[in-house]
Each structure stands twice: as structure tokens, then as C-alpha cells.
Amino acid sequence: VDKDALDTQVKDRKIQEAAEKARNEELANEMKQNDKIMCMLEERQKNYIRNVNKAISDFQKNFQKPETRREFDLSDPQALKKDRPARLSDNDPRCTISGLQKFMGEDLNYHQRMKFQKEQLREWSLQQQRDWKNALADQKFADDLYDKNRIELDQKTMEQQQKEEESRRAVCAATKDFNRTQAAELAERKKLEKCQKTKEDMDEISSLLQGDLLSENSEQAVSSFGRHRVITDRWKGMNRDQLMAIRYSQQQQVLEKLRLKEEERQRDAEWDRQSIQAARAHLILERHQQRQNRERRRALDNVNAELSQEQKSKNIYLKEEAYSNFPTGQYYAQFNTTSR
């Protein structure tokens, strides 16, 4: 056994215990000093509150007397002696709208006002009667004057209608004679025109029968601008060589159209192949993106779980250690200690 090492450890242990004891005594002294300071502060706070309450009571006693308050008139013992009549006159400033002391028709000179209103209504009624009689007289005079003017206007209208009827008969007679003359001239002119038209039709028929149109002469459709151009109103159709040339051209067009369709089909097939490849690449990219999203979501869930665990630990610490001290009855006793 190494006795020196054990002695050294014992010595170090005693030194550590002495240092710890000194630190504990120092902390105890500091706590005693803090308790004394807290007691002094509490005593000073109580004295301050007592002085403030006393000052408030003195102020209320000296400067807030009951007779200076706004609602003192509700409990004034001398209220009946100080009271005045509800209304001294119609213009009393105390008769406000909210006081309900004065309503329409309840003024003090009600009887004089009613008498004046009755006299005024009587005068108005008499004036209305006079106005009504004058209006009836004016209306009767206007009706008589209207009837007289209407009779005169009717007489003038009848005379004017008679004159117009006579003029109309004369015009009808003249028009009938003129129409009769015009009808005879029109019949003669139609007869001459019919004869002329019959002659012209016969000449046209003979010209057509002897012309190139009905004889179907192909030379008569050749245009003066060239042999390759024809006059449409004389042309009777194409010959066999021209028809064969047109059919050959149509066959060439059909073959050209089939070739174009085949090229378009090959081009569409190429486009479809490229579209399928693009869709497949897009699907692969979407799946890769979904895998990345799932990994990021899993990592975020882990972080949230760690944060939730930390929050729970913090709440447990606050509940069990930080907020473990409850206020005593002395804390609640300092409220509501004044008379106010």
C-alpha cells in the first residue's frame, strides 16, 4: 500500500471539505444578508403604501367633499328646499328635449293659439268658397266660348268639305277621259310591238338553224388570242386527246398525293415515338422527384420529432423546477388593504 499517496488523498480531501465548508458559510452569510435586505424592503414598501393611502384619504377628505361631487344632487338632503317649478315659461332653458317637460301643443298660451287657429281656418274656408265660385264662373264662360268656337269651326269645315267634293268630282271626270285615251294608245302600241317581236323571233330562228352554234362546228369556238383558248359560249367540249391528257394528269396527282400521305404517316410515327420517349423521361424524372420529396419529408419529420422532444423536456423543466414555487397567503394579503 502506498501510504504517502493515501495521506496525500486524505489531505486533499480535508482541504476540499474545508473549502466547501467555507463556501457554504459564505453562501449562508450572503443569504442572511439578502433576507435582511428583503425584510427592510418589505417594511419600506408597507410604509410607502400606508403613506399613500393616508395621503389619498386626506385628499378625499379635503378636496373631494360630497357636496362637490357631480351626483350629489341625487342624495342632497336640502333638495326639496332648493327645487324650483318644472317650467316658468315656454322659453325656459331647463325645458330641454331629453327632460320631457314640454310637448307639442302644451304651451302656456294654448287657448289663445287655438282661438287664433279657428279664426284663421274660418277665413281660409270662406276664401276657398269664394275661389271655388269664381272658378266655376270662369269654367262656365270658357265652356260657352268653346262651344261657340266649335260650332263656327264645324260650319267652316262642312263648307270646305263641299268644295273639296266638287273639285274631286271634276278631277275624277278628267282622269277617266285621260285614262280612256291612254288605254286606246297602249292597246295600239302593244299590237305593233307584238308584230315586230314575231318578225324578230322568226329571223333569229332561221339564223340559228343556219349558224355554227347548232351545227357544232369546233372551229367557231377558237379564240383570236390563241389555239389554246376557247370561247366558252361556243365551245362544245374537248376531244379524245385532250381528255386522255387530263386523265394522265389526274393519275399523276393521285400518285403524288399518296406519296405525300406516306411521308406524313412516317413523320407522324416519328413524332409519336419522340413523344413516347419524352413522356417516359418525364415519368422517370417525376418518380425521382417523388423519392427526393419523400426523403426530405422523412428528414423534416425527424427534425420535428427532435424539436417536439426538446419542447416537452423544456415544459417538464419549467413545470417541475422553474415554476415550482407557489405564492403564499402573505402575497395575496397585500391586495385590497385600503378603504377605497
Side-chain angles (χ1 to χ4, degrees):
V1 177
D2 191 356
K3 186 175 181 299
D4 296 334
L6 293 175
D7 294 337
T8 303
Q9 292 178 358
V10 170
K11 185 178 180 180
D12 293 339
R13 180 66 179 271
K14 290 181 179 180
I15 293 172
Q16 184 177 2
E17 289 178 353
E20 186 176 357
K21 182 178 181 180
R23 185 169 61 253
N24 291 333
E25 291 178 355
E26 183 179 357
L27 290 174
N29 295 329
E30 185 176 358
M31 290 177 64
K32 291 179 180 179
Q33 185 69 23
N34 291 334
D35 290 339
K36 291 180 181 179
I37 293 173
M38 287 298 296
C39 292
M40 293 174 64
L41 290 176
E42 288 181 357
E43 187 66 25
R44 184 182 298 176
Q45 181 70 18
K46 290 180 181 180
N47 294 331
Y48 174 75
I49 293 173
R50 189 182 301 109
N51 294 330
V52 170
N53 293 332
K54 184 179 180 182
I56 291 173
S57 299
D58 294 339
F59 179 81
Q60 292 177 350
K61 182 177 180 181
N62 296 327
F63 301 100
Q64 292 183 349
K65 296 180 179 181
E67 57 270 12
T68 60
R69 296 178 183 176
R70 182 171 54 184
E71 65 275 6
F72 178 71
D73 56 341
L74 300 177
S75 59
D76 187 7
Q78 303 294 331
L80 296 177
K81 295 181 179 180
K82 298 178 182 178
D83 195 10
R84 294 183 297 172
R87 182 172 60 174
L88 299 177
S89 64
D90 293 336
N91 298 324
D92 194 345
R94 294 180 300 157
C95 297
T96 58
I97 296 176
S98 61
L100 301 177
Q101 299 276 338
K102 176 184 174 182
F103 295 95
M104 185 67 68
E106 294 183 357
D107 50 337
L108 298 178
N109 57 346
Y110 172 75
H111 298 287
Q112 291 80 2
R113 181 168 54 81
M114 290 299 296
K115 183 178 179 181
F116 176 75
Q117 289 180 355
K118 290 179 181 179
E119 292 291 335
Q120 191 175 17
L121 288 174
R122 180 173 174 276
E123 292 294 332
W124 286 352
S125 178
L126 294 175
Q127 183 65 30
Q128 288 179 356
Q129 292 178 6
R130 289 193 295 268
D131 294 341
W132 179 253
K133 290 180 180 179
N134 294 333
L136 290 176
D138 294 340
Q139 183 66 29
K140 183 177 180 182
F141 177 76
D143 293 340
D144 295 340
L145 183 61
Y146 174 75
D147 292 338
K148 183 179 179 181
N149 293 332
R150 186 168 55 80
I151 292 171
E152 293 179 356
L153 183 62
D154 291 341
Q155 291 178 356
K156 291 181 179 179
T157 304
M158 291 177 64
E159 293 177 357
Q160 185 70 24
Q161 288 179 355
Q162 290 178 359
K163 292 180 180 179
E164 290 179 358
E165 188 68 26
E166 293 177 357
S167 299
R168 192 180 298 110
R169 289 195 189 97
V171 170
C172 289
T175 304
K176 188 182 293 184
D177 296 338
F178 178 76
N179 291 336
R180 191 181 295 109
T181 305
Q182 290 291 326
E185 292 179 357
L186 181 62
E188 185 66 23
R189 186 166 58 253
K190 285 183 177 180
K191 183 178 180 180
L192 295 175
E193 289 177 357
K194 185 177 181 181
C195 295
Q196 182 67 26
K197 188 174 184 302
T198 303
K199 183 179 179 181
E200 291 176 357
D201 292 341
M202 294 300 295
D203 295 339
E204 184 178 0
I205 291 171
S206 61
S207 175
L208 289 174
L209 291 173
Q210 297 174 4
D212 295 334
L213 181 62
L214 296 178
S215 61
E216 296 185 358
N217 186 7
S218 61
E219 294 298 330
Q220 53 103 23
V222 177
S223 176
S224 60
F225 295 101
R227 300 287 298 179
H228 63 285
R229 301 182 67 176
V230 297
I231 301 175
T232 56
D233 58 346
R234 301 177 186 177
W235 188 55
K236 296 300 181 180
M238 295 182 293
N239 53 24
R240 185 177 182 81
D241 295 336
Q242 292 175 343
L243 293 174
M244 292 298 294
I246 290 174
R247 290 192 182 95
Y248 177 76
S249 178
Q250 289 177 348
Q251 291 177 358
Q252 295 297 325
Q253 291 177 358
V254 170
L255 294 175
E256 181 67 18
K257 189 172 183 180
L258 292 175
R259 185 182 63 79
L260 292 176
K261 285 185 177 180
E262 181 65 21
E263 292 179 357
E264 184 177 1
R265 186 186 63 77
Q266 293 177 1
R267 186 166 56 253
D268 292 340
E270 182 65 21
W271 275 107
D272 293 339
R273 186 181 63 78
Q274 293 181 3
S275 299
I276 293 172
Q277 291 179 357
R280 186 176 300 157
H282 183 67
L283 181 60
I284 294 172
L285 182 61
E286 284 185 353
R287 291 179 178 176
H288 180 68
Q289 187 69 25
Q290 290 177 358
R291 284 196 299 271
Q292 291 182 350
N293 291 335
R294 286 196 296 270
E295 293 176 358
R296 285 196 293 267
R297 183 64 184 178
R298 191 178 298 109
L300 183 61
D301 292 340
N302 295 331
V303 173
N304 291 335
E306 293 177 359
L307 292 176
S308 177
Q309 188 65 29
E310 292 179 0
Q311 184 69 22
K312 290 180 180 179
S313 301
K314 185 177 179 181
N315 291 334
I316 294 172
Y317 170 76
L318 292 175
K319 183 177 180 181
E320 296 180 356
E321 298 183 13
Y323 300 150
S324 61
N325 295 329
F326 295 96
T328 61
Q330 186 180 2
Y331 172 78
Y332 294 104
Q334 63 182 341
F335 299 104
N336 298 328
T337 58
T338 62
S339 60
R340 185 175 179 84

